[in-house]
Amino acid sequence: MGEGWRLQVAELRVAKRNEEALVLIRQAIAEGDMSARVMLATMGDKAGLSRAEVDALIFDVETTMNQEDVETHLQLRGAYDIGLGDLPYDEKARRRFSHHLKAVELGAGVIHTLALARIYVMGALEVAPDLNEAVRWYKHAIEQGSVEAAHELQKVYRHIEKSEKKSAKSVVTPLPTRQPSSPAKAGGPVRRDSGN
């Protein structure tokens, strides 16, 4: 099959021309494309599959895939994102992130790299925010030609700079303690601050 078949499937699905999309997916499966098996699973009942069959298909792909197959990593990420697979929710989230990361490490396109950088900025269920990793992946997206990544990286650098200044200010020498004055010397009743 030609390179554009995945885009063609996506367009057919948007147009609700599912039978035509299934023909392309099944042809790709017949040619040995593992990512097409995940695409079939994401079609679920539109492809005549039960939920148990969908989950079994995801499991089979997960356990037999070539770990260097970028497209299958991306398709599995998408499948876990929509809740497929017979796994607890947090495990699906962990695998979704793991497949995304692996696909980007293997050279997935700039949109995937930029999305990964954004995940590291904000954090998610499966990964804590990590600005160092965010910077790393923003730089990678810039190398892939993303102008958007360059603008976002500038914002991250400004945020890091502000955070460093703020933490530097909080490490200030404590103020000297004030000796309480006695009410008798002050010439009147002690006024208590209610904290407002």
Side-chain angles (χ1 to χ4, degrees):
M1 294 190 74
E3 282 300 309
W5 75 269
R6 287 182 188 84
L7 177 59
Q8 202 174 353
V9 166
E11 290 171 345
L12 289 168
R13 289 185 68 183
V14 167
K16 301 200 183 311
R17 294 167 50 192
N18 294 318
E19 288 304 316
E20 294 171 72
L22 284 168
V23 168
L24 291 174
I25 290 170
R26 288 190 171 112
Q27 184 180 349
I29 290 170
E31 293 177 11
D33 191 310
M34 197 64 102
S35 71
R37 295 176 69 201
V38 181
M39 293 173 83
L40 180 67
T42 63
M43 293 200 63
D45 60 348
K46 292 176 186 78
L49 299 174
S50 70
R51 181 57 193 246
E53 290 170 318
V54 166
D55 291 343
L57 193 51
I58 295 296
F59 176 79
D60 184 54
V61 170
E62 183 80 60
T63 56
T64 61
M65 73 176 284
N66 173 352
Q67 292 301 312
E68 304 300 307
D69 184 345
V70 173
E71 288 301 327
T72 301
H73 281 294
L74 292 173
Q75 290 298 324
L76 282 169
R77 180 204 62 194
Y80 289 127
D81 197 39
I82 61 172
L84 300 183
D86 187 23
L87 300 166
Y89 180 79
D90 58 337
E91 178 61 17
K92 289 177 188 178
R94 189 193 66 72
R95 288 189 186 195
R96 176 182 63 228
F97 178 76
S98 175
H99 283 293
H100 188 165
L101 177 61
K102 186 66 175 175
V104 171
E105 289 173 341
L106 290 170
V110 65
I111 62 169
H112 304 292
T113 307
L114 186 55
L116 183 64
R118 289 172 176 159
I119 290 169
Y120 274 117
V121 167
M122 300 303 294
L125 174 66
E126 65 279 9
V127 62
D130 184 334
L131 294 180
N132 291 326
E133 281 298 302
V135 166
R136 172 183 172 209
W137 292 112
Y138 274 125
K139 286 179 178 179
H140 188 67
I142 292 166
E143 289 170 5
Q144 291 175 303
S146 174
V147 173
E148 193 174 359
H151 293 295
E152 290 182 26
L153 181 58
Q154 287 175 348
K155 290 178 184 177
V156 169
Y157 280 142
R158 283 193 297 269
H159 174 75
I160 291 170
E161 187 178 306
K162 285 179 185 177
S163 295
E164 288 173 351
K165 284 181 182 178
K166 187 177 181 179
S167 57
K169 286 181 182 179
S170 67
V171 185
V172 177
T173 322
L175 295 173
T177 56
R178 207 170 113 200
Q179 297 296 324
S181 60
S182 116
K185 289 182 182 174
V190 176
R191 196 169 168 205
R192 303 220 185 255
D193 187 3
S194 63
N196 293 333

PDB file of all heavy atoms in Angstrom, residues 74-111:
ATOM      1  N   LEU A  74       2.319   4.695  17.703  1.00  0.00           N
ATOM      2  CA  LEU A  74       1.362   5.796  17.653  1.00  0.00           C
ATOM      3  C   LEU A  74      -0.083   5.289  17.690  1.00  0.00           C
ATOM      4  O   LEU A  74      -0.935   5.875  18.366  1.00  0.00           O
ATOM      5  CB  LEU A  74       1.598   6.653  16.405  1.00  0.00           C
ATOM      6  CG  LEU A  74       2.892   7.452  16.394  1.00  0.00           C
ATOM      7  CD1 LEU A  74       3.106   8.119  15.045  1.00  0.00           C
ATOM      8  CD2 LEU A  74       2.913   8.474  17.523  1.00  0.00           C
ATOM      9  N   GLN A  75      -0.349   4.216  16.982  1.00  0.00           N
ATOM     10  CA  GLN A  75      -1.709   3.668  16.978  1.00  0.00           C
ATOM     11  C   GLN A  75      -2.076   3.104  18.355  1.00  0.00           C
ATOM     12  O   GLN A  75      -3.211   3.284  18.820  1.00  0.00           O
ATOM     13  CB  GLN A  75      -1.864   2.596  15.895  1.00  0.00           C
ATOM     14  CG  GLN A  75      -1.841   3.136  14.488  1.00  0.00           C
ATOM     15  CD  GLN A  75      -2.977   4.103  14.205  1.00  0.00           C
ATOM     16  OE1 GLN A  75      -4.096   3.949  14.682  1.00  0.00           O
ATOM     17  NE2 GLN A  75      -2.674   5.130  13.421  1.00  0.00           N
ATOM     18  N   LEU A  76      -1.140   2.445  19.022  1.00  0.00           N
ATOM     19  CA  LEU A  76      -1.422   1.941  20.374  1.00  0.00           C
ATOM     20  C   LEU A  76      -1.648   3.091  21.339  1.00  0.00           C
ATOM     21  O   LEU A  76      -2.529   3.028  22.194  1.00  0.00           O
ATOM     22  CB  LEU A  76      -0.293   1.025  20.863  1.00  0.00           C
ATOM     23  CG  LEU A  76      -0.315  -0.387  20.288  1.00  0.00           C
ATOM     24  CD1 LEU A  76       0.986  -1.123  20.618  1.00  0.00           C
ATOM     25  CD2 LEU A  76      -1.515  -1.174  20.794  1.00  0.00           C
ATOM     26  N   ARG A  77      -0.871   4.152  21.203  1.00  0.00           N
ATOM     27  CA  ARG A  77      -1.107   5.342  22.029  1.00  0.00           C
ATOM     28  C   ARG A  77      -2.543   5.816  21.867  1.00  0.00           C
ATOM     29  O   ARG A  77      -3.244   6.084  22.838  1.00  0.00           O
ATOM     30  CB  ARG A  77      -0.143   6.457  21.655  1.00  0.00           C
ATOM     31  CG  ARG A  77      -0.359   7.718  22.500  1.00  0.00           C
ATOM     32  CD  ARG A  77       0.116   8.981  21.860  1.00  0.00           C
ATOM     33  NE  ARG A  77      -0.608   9.221  20.625  1.00  0.00           N
ATOM     34  CZ  ARG A  77      -0.257  10.088  19.714  1.00  0.00           C
ATOM     35  NH1 ARG A  77       0.834  10.807  19.865  1.00  0.00           N
ATOM     36  NH2 ARG A  77      -0.958  10.259  18.624  1.00  0.00           N
ATOM     37  N   GLY A  78      -2.984   5.897  20.639  1.00  0.00           N
ATOM     38  CA  GLY A  78      -4.353   6.327  20.364  1.00  0.00           C
ATOM     39  C   GLY A  78      -5.396   5.371  20.907  1.00  0.00           C
ATOM     40  O   GLY A  78      -6.439   5.792  21.432  1.00  0.00           O
ATOM     41  N   ALA A  79      -5.127   4.078  20.806  1.00  0.00           N
ATOM     42  CA  ALA A  79      -6.071   3.071  21.311  1.00  0.00           C
ATOM     43  C   ALA A  79      -6.210   3.177  22.830  1.00  0.00           C
ATOM     44  O   ALA A  79      -7.327   3.133  23.363  1.00  0.00           O
ATOM     45  CB  ALA A  79      -5.602   1.672  20.914  1.00  0.00           C
ATOM     46  N   TYR A  80      -5.093   3.330  23.525  1.00  0.00           N
ATOM     47  CA  TYR A  80      -5.165   3.483  24.986  1.00  0.00           C
ATOM     48  C   TYR A  80      -5.816   4.808  25.362  1.00  0.00           C
ATOM     49  O   TYR A  80      -6.504   4.908  26.377  1.00  0.00           O
ATOM     50  CB  TYR A  80      -3.777   3.361  25.617  1.00  0.00           C
ATOM     51  CG  TYR A  80      -3.224   1.958  25.581  1.00  0.00           C
ATOM     52  CD1 TYR A  80      -1.965   1.694  25.056  1.00  0.00           C
ATOM     53  CD2 TYR A  80      -3.966   0.881  26.058  1.00  0.00           C
ATOM     54  CE1 TYR A  80      -1.461   0.402  25.016  1.00  0.00           C
ATOM     55  CE2 TYR A  80      -3.469  -0.416  26.018  1.00  0.00           C
ATOM     56  CZ  TYR A  80      -2.214  -0.647  25.497  1.00  0.00           C
ATOM     57  OH  TYR A  80      -1.724  -1.926  25.458  1.00  0.00           O
ATOM     58  N   ASP A  81      -5.634   5.810  24.522  1.00  0.00           N
ATOM     59  CA  ASP A  81      -6.226   7.119  24.787  1.00  0.00           C
ATOM     60  C   ASP A  81      -7.754   7.057  24.771  1.00  0.00           C
ATOM     61  O   ASP A  81      -8.408   7.777  25.518  1.00  0.00           O
ATOM     62  CB  ASP A  81      -5.722   8.132  23.758  1.00  0.00           C
ATOM     63  CG  ASP A  81      -5.952   9.560  24.178  1.00  0.00           C
ATOM     64  OD1 ASP A  81      -5.791   9.860  25.380  1.00  0.00           O
ATOM     65  OD2 ASP A  81      -6.281  10.382  23.314  1.00  0.00           O
ATOM     66  N   ILE A  82      -8.313   6.196  23.938  1.00  0.00           N
ATOM     67  CA  ILE A  82      -9.777   6.062  23.899  1.00  0.00           C
ATOM     68  C   ILE A  82     -10.282   4.925  24.787  1.00  0.00           C
ATOM     69  O   ILE A  82     -11.448   4.561  24.723  1.00  0.00           O
ATOM     70  CB  ILE A  82     -10.315   5.933  22.454  1.00  0.00           C
ATOM     71  CG1 ILE A  82      -9.764   4.690  21.767  1.00  0.00           C
ATOM     72  CG2 ILE A  82     -10.039   7.199  21.662  1.00  0.00           C
ATOM     73  CD1 ILE A  82     -10.407   4.399  20.407  1.00  0.00           C
ATOM     74  N   GLY A  83      -9.383   4.389  25.612  1.00  0.00           N
ATOM     75  CA  GLY A  83      -9.804   3.420  26.630  1.00  0.00           C
ATOM     76  C   GLY A  83      -9.812   1.971  26.217  1.00  0.00           C
ATOM     77  O   GLY A  83     -10.392   1.129  26.921  1.00  0.00           O
ATOM     78  N   LEU A  84      -9.196   1.632  25.094  1.00  0.00           N
ATOM     79  CA  LEU A  84      -9.167   0.234  24.668  1.00  0.00           C
ATOM     80  C   LEU A  84      -8.106  -0.535  25.454  1.00  0.00           C
ATOM     81  O   LEU A  84      -7.186   0.037  26.002  1.00  0.00           O
ATOM     82  CB  LEU A  84      -8.894   0.137  23.172  1.00  0.00           C
ATOM     83  CG  LEU A  84      -9.902   0.820  22.257  1.00  0.00           C
ATOM     84  CD1 LEU A  84      -9.541   0.581  20.795  1.00  0.00           C
ATOM     85  CD2 LEU A  84     -11.317   0.368  22.540  1.00  0.00           C
ATOM     86  N   GLY A  85      -8.251  -1.830  25.466  1.00  0.00           N
ATOM     87  CA  GLY A  85      -7.328  -2.698  26.189  1.00  0.00           C
ATOM     88  C   GLY A  85      -7.915  -3.092  27.530  1.00  0.00           C
ATOM     89  O   GLY A  85      -8.573  -2.284  28.191  1.00  0.00           O
ATOM     90  N   ASP A  86      -7.720  -4.341  27.888  1.00  0.00           N
ATOM     91  CA  ASP A  86      -8.261  -4.867  29.141  1.00  0.00           C
ATOM     92  C   ASP A  86      -7.258  -4.631  30.267  1.00  0.00           C
ATOM     93  O   ASP A  86      -6.607  -5.560  30.749  1.00  0.00           O
ATOM     94  CB  ASP A  86      -8.569  -6.356  28.978  1.00  0.00           C
ATOM     95  CG  ASP A  86      -9.294  -6.942  30.177  1.00  0.00           C
ATOM     96  OD1 ASP A  86      -9.930  -6.162  30.911  1.00  0.00           O
ATOM     97  OD2 ASP A  86      -9.217  -8.166  30.380  1.00  0.00           O
ATOM     98  N   LEU A  87      -7.124  -3.362  30.649  1.00  0.00           N
ATOM     99  CA  LEU A  87      -6.151  -2.955  31.669  1.00  0.00           C
ATOM    100  C   LEU A  87      -6.782  -1.922  32.586  1.00  0.00           C
ATOM    101  O   LEU A  87      -7.710  -1.218  32.181  1.00  0.00           O
ATOM    102  CB  LEU A  87      -4.931  -2.312  30.994  1.00  0.00           C
ATOM    103  CG  LEU A  87      -4.131  -3.157  30.015  1.00  0.00           C
ATOM    104  CD1 LEU A  87      -3.205  -2.281  29.196  1.00  0.00           C
ATOM    105  CD2 LEU A  87      -3.343  -4.213  30.763  1.00  0.00           C
ATOM    106  N   PRO A  88      -6.254  -1.775  33.810  1.00  0.00           N
ATOM    107  CA  PRO A  88      -6.721  -0.685  34.678  1.00  0.00           C
ATOM    108  C   PRO A  88      -6.419   0.669  34.030  1.00  0.00           C
ATOM    109  O   PRO A  88      -5.481   0.808  33.245  1.00  0.00           O
ATOM    110  CB  PRO A  88      -5.899  -0.859  35.961  1.00  0.00           C
ATOM    111  CG  PRO A  88      -5.367  -2.251  35.909  1.00  0.00           C
ATOM    112  CD  PRO A  88      -5.257  -2.617  34.466  1.00  0.00           C
ATOM    113  N   TYR A  89      -7.214   1.667  34.383  1.00  0.00           N
ATOM    114  CA  TYR A  89      -7.102   2.997  33.790  1.00  0.00           C
ATOM    115  C   TYR A  89      -5.683   3.556  33.887  1.00  0.00           C
ATOM    116  O   TYR A  89      -5.143   4.063  32.907  1.00  0.00           O
ATOM    117  CB  TYR A  89      -8.101   3.952  34.464  1.00  0.00           C
ATOM    118  CG  TYR A  89      -8.056   5.345  33.908  1.00  0.00           C
ATOM    119  CD1 TYR A  89      -8.675   5.644  32.706  1.00  0.00           C
ATOM    120  CD2 TYR A  89      -7.357   6.357  34.561  1.00  0.00           C
ATOM    121  CE1 TYR A  89      -8.619   6.913  32.165  1.00  0.00           C
ATOM    122  CE2 TYR A  89      -7.299   7.636  34.026  1.00  0.00           C
ATOM    123  CZ  TYR A  89      -7.938   7.912  32.828  1.00  0.00           C
ATOM    124  OH  TYR A  89      -7.867   9.163  32.307  1.00  0.00           O
ATOM    125  N   ASP A  90      -5.069   3.475  35.062  1.00  0.00           N
ATOM    126  CA  ASP A  90      -3.733   4.060  35.214  1.00  0.00           C
ATOM    127  C   ASP A  90      -2.682   3.321  34.384  1.00  0.00           C
ATOM    128  O   ASP A  90      -1.717   3.919  33.918  1.00  0.00           O
ATOM    129  CB  ASP A  90      -3.322   4.162  36.687  1.00  0.00           C
ATOM    130  CG  ASP A  90      -3.321   2.837  37.410  1.00  0.00           C
ATOM    131  OD1 ASP A  90      -4.008   1.901  36.978  1.00  0.00           O
ATOM    132  OD2 ASP A  90      -2.632   2.745  38.444  1.00  0.00           O
ATOM    133  N   GLU A  91      -2.884   2.021  34.153  1.00  0.00           N
ATOM    134  CA  GLU A  91      -1.953   1.274  33.301  1.00  0.00           C
ATOM    135  C   GLU A  91      -2.120   1.695  31.841  1.00  0.00           C
ATOM    136  O   GLU A  91      -1.146   1.807  31.103  1.00  0.00           O
ATOM    137  CB  GLU A  91      -2.158  -0.231  33.455  1.00  0.00           C
ATOM    138  CG  GLU A  91      -1.267  -1.084  32.568  1.00  0.00           C
ATOM    139  CD  GLU A  91       0.238  -0.916  32.807  1.00  0.00           C
ATOM    140  OE1 GLU A  91       0.649  -0.391  33.863  1.00  0.00           O
ATOM    141  OE2 GLU A  91       1.018  -1.330  31.923  1.00  0.00           O
ATOM    142  N   LYS A  92      -3.355   1.945  31.432  1.00  0.00           N
ATOM    143  CA  LYS A  92      -3.577   2.449  30.070  1.00  0.00           C
ATOM    144  C   LYS A  92      -2.878   3.799  29.896  1.00  0.00           C
ATOM    145  O   LYS A  92      -2.250   4.050  28.868  1.00  0.00           O
ATOM    146  CB  LYS A  92      -5.074   2.602  29.786  1.00  0.00           C
ATOM    147  CG  LYS A  92      -5.793   1.289  29.629  1.00  0.00           C
ATOM    148  CD  LYS A  92      -7.277   1.511  29.414  1.00  0.00           C
ATOM    149  CE  LYS A  92      -8.015   0.199  29.465  1.00  0.00           C
ATOM    150  NZ  LYS A  92      -9.470   0.357  29.301  1.00  0.00           N
ATOM    151  N   ALA A  93      -2.991   4.656  30.901  1.00  0.00           N
ATOM    152  CA  ALA A  93      -2.343   5.971  30.840  1.00  0.00           C
ATOM    153  C   ALA A  93      -0.824   5.814  30.755  1.00  0.00           C
ATOM    154  O   ALA A  93      -0.163   6.504  29.971  1.00  0.00           O
ATOM    155  CB  ALA A  93      -2.731   6.808  32.058  1.00  0.00           C
ATOM    156  N   ARG A  94      -0.274   4.896  31.539  1.00  0.00           N
ATOM    157  CA  ARG A  94       1.170   4.665  31.514  1.00  0.00           C
ATOM    158  C   ARG A  94       1.619   4.158  30.142  1.00  0.00           C
ATOM    159  O   ARG A  94       2.596   4.628  29.572  1.00  0.00           O
ATOM    160  CB  ARG A  94       1.575   3.669  32.605  1.00  0.00           C
ATOM    161  CG  ARG A  94       3.084   3.535  32.775  1.00  0.00           C
ATOM    162  CD  ARG A  94       3.473   2.336  33.610  1.00  0.00           C
ATOM    163  NE  ARG A  94       3.160   1.069  32.982  1.00  0.00           N
ATOM    164  CZ  ARG A  94       3.808   0.548  31.923  1.00  0.00           C
ATOM    165  NH1 ARG A  94       4.786   1.210  31.361  1.00  0.00           N
ATOM    166  NH2 ARG A  94       3.463  -0.621  31.422  1.00  0.00           N
ATOM    167  N   ARG A  95       0.861   3.224  29.592  1.00  0.00           N
ATOM    168  CA  ARG A  95       1.227   2.685  28.277  1.00  0.00           C
ATOM    169  C   ARG A  95       1.035   3.713  27.169  1.00  0.00           C
ATOM    170  O   ARG A  95       1.810   3.754  26.220  1.00  0.00           O
ATOM    171  CB  ARG A  95       0.413   1.417  27.979  1.00  0.00           C
ATOM    172  CG  ARG A  95       0.866   0.251  28.829  1.00  0.00           C
ATOM    173  CD  ARG A  95       0.226  -1.017  28.405  1.00  0.00           C
ATOM    174  NE  ARG A  95       0.558  -2.092  29.329  1.00  0.00           N
ATOM    175  CZ  ARG A  95       0.381  -3.361  29.064  1.00  0.00           C
ATOM    176  NH1 ARG A  95      -0.138  -3.740  27.918  1.00  0.00           N
ATOM    177  NH2 ARG A  95       0.696  -4.274  29.951  1.00  0.00           N
ATOM    178  N   ARG A  96      -0.005   4.522  27.280  1.00  0.00           N
ATOM    179  CA  ARG A  96      -0.231   5.579  26.290  1.00  0.00           C
ATOM    180  C   ARG A  96       0.998   6.480  26.228  1.00  0.00           C
ATOM    181  O   ARG A  96       1.525   6.760  25.159  1.00  0.00           O
ATOM    182  CB  ARG A  96      -1.481   6.377  26.666  1.00  0.00           C
ATOM    183  CG  ARG A  96      -1.753   7.561  25.746  1.00  0.00           C
ATOM    184  CD  ARG A  96      -2.962   8.360  26.168  1.00  0.00           C
ATOM    185  NE  ARG A  96      -2.751   8.943  27.486  1.00  0.00           N
ATOM    186  CZ  ARG A  96      -3.636   8.879  28.480  1.00  0.00           C
ATOM    187  NH1 ARG A  96      -4.778   8.264  28.330  1.00  0.00           N
ATOM    188  NH2 ARG A  96      -3.373   9.441  29.635  1.00  0.00           N
ATOM    189  N   PHE A  97       1.464   6.904  27.400  1.00  0.00           N
ATOM    190  CA  PHE A  97       2.639   7.773  27.438  1.00  0.00           C
ATOM    191  C   PHE A  97       3.882   7.038  26.940  1.00  0.00           C
ATOM    192  O   PHE A  97       4.679   7.594  26.173  1.00  0.00           O
ATOM    193  CB  PHE A  97       2.875   8.304  28.850  1.00  0.00           C
ATOM    194  CG  PHE A  97       4.096   9.161  28.930  1.00  0.00           C
ATOM    195  CD1 PHE A  97       4.073  10.461  28.449  1.00  0.00           C
ATOM    196  CD2 PHE A  97       5.279   8.668  29.459  1.00  0.00           C
ATOM    197  CE1 PHE A  97       5.213  11.264  28.487  1.00  0.00           C
ATOM    198  CE2 PHE A  97       6.415   9.457  29.507  1.00  0.00           C
ATOM    199  CZ  PHE A  97       6.387  10.753  29.018  1.00  0.00           C
ATOM    200  N   SER A  98       4.054   5.804  27.351  1.00  0.00           N
ATOM    201  CA  SER A  98       5.221   5.016  26.957  1.00  0.00           C
ATOM    202  C   SER A  98       5.298   4.856  25.434  1.00  0.00           C
ATOM    203  O   SER A  98       6.369   5.008  24.834  1.00  0.00           O
ATOM    204  CB  SER A  98       5.153   3.648  27.639  1.00  0.00           C
ATOM    205  OG  SER A  98       6.190   2.822  27.205  1.00  0.00           O
ATOM    206  N   HIS A  99       4.161   4.573  24.807  1.00  0.00           N
ATOM    207  CA  HIS A  99       4.147   4.428  23.340  1.00  0.00           C
ATOM    208  C   HIS A  99       4.404   5.768  22.657  1.00  0.00           C
ATOM    209  O   HIS A  99       5.090   5.822  21.637  1.00  0.00           O
ATOM    210  CB  HIS A  99       2.826   3.824  22.867  1.00  0.00           C
ATOM    211  CG  HIS A  99       2.748   2.350  23.112  1.00  0.00           C
ATOM    212  ND1 HIS A  99       3.552   1.442  22.456  1.00  0.00           N
ATOM    213  CD2 HIS A  99       1.974   1.626  23.948  1.00  0.00           C
ATOM    214  CE1 HIS A  99       3.277   0.220  22.872  1.00  0.00           C
ATOM    215  NE2 HIS A  99       2.322   0.306  23.791  1.00  0.00           N
ATOM    216  N   HIS A 100       3.886   6.832  23.226  1.00  0.00           N
ATOM    217  CA  HIS A 100       4.114   8.168  22.665  1.00  0.00           C
ATOM    218  C   HIS A 100       5.612   8.492  22.723  1.00  0.00           C
ATOM    219  O   HIS A 100       6.214   8.894  21.716  1.00  0.00           O
ATOM    220  CB  HIS A 100       3.301   9.191  23.454  1.00  0.00           C
ATOM    221  CG  HIS A 100       3.308  10.549  22.856  1.00  0.00           C
ATOM    222  ND1 HIS A 100       2.426  11.519  23.228  1.00  0.00           N
ATOM    223  CD2 HIS A 100       4.096  11.146  21.923  1.00  0.00           C
ATOM    224  CE1 HIS A 100       2.655  12.624  22.541  1.00  0.00           C
ATOM    225  NE2 HIS A 100       3.672  12.423  21.753  1.00  0.00           N
ATOM    226  N   LEU A 101       6.199   8.307  23.887  1.00  0.00           N
ATOM    227  CA  LEU A 101       7.625   8.579  24.061  1.00  0.00           C
ATOM    228  C   LEU A 101       8.468   7.748  23.106  1.00  0.00           C
ATOM    229  O   LEU A 101       9.371   8.265  22.434  1.00  0.00           O
ATOM    230  CB  LEU A 101       8.036   8.311  25.517  1.00  0.00           C
ATOM    231  CG  LEU A 101       9.513   8.478  25.852  1.00  0.00           C
ATOM    232  CD1 LEU A 101       9.978   9.909  25.600  1.00  0.00           C
ATOM    233  CD2 LEU A 101       9.770   8.081  27.306  1.00  0.00           C
ATOM    234  N   LYS A 102       8.174   6.458  23.020  1.00  0.00           N
ATOM    235  CA  LYS A 102       8.956   5.571  22.152  1.00  0.00           C
ATOM    236  C   LYS A 102       8.837   5.996  20.687  1.00  0.00           C
ATOM    237  O   LYS A 102       9.835   6.022  19.959  1.00  0.00           O
ATOM    238  CB  LYS A 102       8.500   4.121  22.323  1.00  0.00           C
ATOM    239  CG  LYS A 102       9.348   3.117  21.585  1.00  0.00           C
ATOM    240  CD  LYS A 102      10.753   3.047  22.131  1.00  0.00           C
ATOM    241  CE  LYS A 102      11.529   1.936  21.453  1.00  0.00           C
ATOM    242  NZ  LYS A 102      12.919   1.899  21.873  1.00  0.00           N
ATOM    243  N   ALA A 103       7.629   6.367  20.263  1.00  0.00           N
ATOM    244  CA  ALA A 103       7.441   6.801  18.876  1.00  0.00           C
ATOM    245  C   ALA A 103       8.265   8.052  18.581  1.00  0.00           C
ATOM    246  O   ALA A 103       8.901   8.155  17.535  1.00  0.00           O
ATOM    247  CB  ALA A 103       5.960   7.050  18.600  1.00  0.00           C
ATOM    248  N   VAL A 104       8.278   8.988  19.515  1.00  0.00           N
ATOM    249  CA  VAL A 104       9.053  10.221  19.316  1.00  0.00           C
ATOM    250  C   VAL A 104      10.546   9.900  19.307  1.00  0.00           C
ATOM    251  O   VAL A 104      11.297  10.418  18.471  1.00  0.00           O
ATOM    252  CB  VAL A 104       8.696  11.279  20.382  1.00  0.00           C
ATOM    253  CG1 VAL A 104       9.647  12.460  20.325  1.00  0.00           C
ATOM    254  CG2 VAL A 104       7.255  11.744  20.203  1.00  0.00           C
ATOM    255  N   GLU A 105      10.980   9.053  20.208  1.00  0.00           N
ATOM    256  CA  GLU A 105      12.395   8.661  20.229  1.00  0.00           C
ATOM    257  C   GLU A 105      12.811   7.993  18.913  1.00  0.00           C
ATOM    258  O   GLU A 105      13.956   8.121  18.484  1.00  0.00           O
ATOM    259  CB  GLU A 105      12.669   7.712  21.394  1.00  0.00           C
ATOM    260  CG  GLU A 105      12.623   8.377  22.739  1.00  0.00           C
ATOM    261  CD  GLU A 105      12.731   7.405  23.906  1.00  0.00           C
ATOM    262  OE1 GLU A 105      12.496   6.186  23.738  1.00  0.00           O
ATOM    263  OE2 GLU A 105      13.036   7.882  25.017  1.00  0.00           O
ATOM    264  N   LEU A 106      11.852   7.297  18.286  1.00  0.00           N
ATOM    265  CA  LEU A 106      12.146   6.605  17.024  1.00  0.00           C
ATOM    266  C   LEU A 106      12.008   7.515  15.798  1.00  0.00           C
ATOM    267  O   LEU A 106      12.262   7.083  14.681  1.00  0.00           O
ATOM    268  CB  LEU A 106      11.228   5.396  16.869  1.00  0.00           C
ATOM    269  CG  LEU A 106      11.480   4.233  17.823  1.00  0.00           C
ATOM    270  CD1 LEU A 106      10.368   3.206  17.732  1.00  0.00           C
ATOM    271  CD2 LEU A 106      12.837   3.587  17.528  1.00  0.00           C
ATOM    272  N   GLY A 107      11.581   8.762  16.019  1.00  0.00           N
ATOM    273  CA  GLY A 107      11.523   9.695  14.905  1.00  0.00           C
ATOM    274  C   GLY A 107      10.131  10.059  14.416  1.00  0.00           C
ATOM    275  O   GLY A 107       9.978  10.497  13.277  1.00  0.00           O
ATOM    276  N   ALA A 108       9.123   9.898  15.260  1.00  0.00           N
ATOM    277  CA  ALA A 108       7.774  10.323  14.874  1.00  0.00           C
ATOM    278  C   ALA A 108       7.809  11.804  14.521  1.00  0.00           C
ATOM    279  O   ALA A 108       8.708  12.535  14.924  1.00  0.00           O
ATOM    280  CB  ALA A 108       6.785  10.063  16.008  1.00  0.00           C
ATOM    281  N   GLY A 109       6.845  12.255  13.801  1.00  0.00           N
ATOM    282  CA  GLY A 109       6.807  13.626  13.299  1.00  0.00           C
ATOM    283  C   GLY A 109       6.793  14.691  14.374  1.00  0.00           C
ATOM    284  O   GLY A 109       6.592  14.431  15.567  1.00  0.00           O
ATOM    285  N   VAL A 110       6.970  15.918  13.918  1.00  0.00           N
ATOM    286  CA  VAL A 110       7.111  17.072  14.792  1.00  0.00           C
ATOM    287  C   VAL A 110       5.870  17.277  15.672  1.00  0.00           C
ATOM    288  O   VAL A 110       5.997  17.705  16.819  1.00  0.00           O
ATOM    289  CB  VAL A 110       7.458  18.336  13.978  1.00  0.00           C
ATOM    290  CG1 VAL A 110       6.339  18.739  13.052  1.00  0.00           C
ATOM    291  CG2 VAL A 110       7.851  19.475  14.901  1.00  0.00           C
ATOM    292  N   ILE A 111       4.673  16.977  15.174  1.00  0.00           N
ATOM    293  CA  ILE A 111       3.490  17.200  16.011  1.00  0.00           C
ATOM    294  C   ILE A 111       3.505  16.301  17.239  1.00  0.00           C
ATOM    295  O   ILE A 111       3.063  16.696  18.313  1.00  0.00           O
ATOM    296  CB  ILE A 111       2.163  17.035  15.236  1.00  0.00           C
ATOM    297  CG1 ILE A 111       2.001  15.628  14.691  1.00  0.00           C
ATOM    298  CG2 ILE A 111       2.023  18.072  14.157  1.00  0.00           C
ATOM    299  CD1 ILE A 111       0.618  15.339  14.149  1.00  0.00           C
TER     300      ILE A 111
END
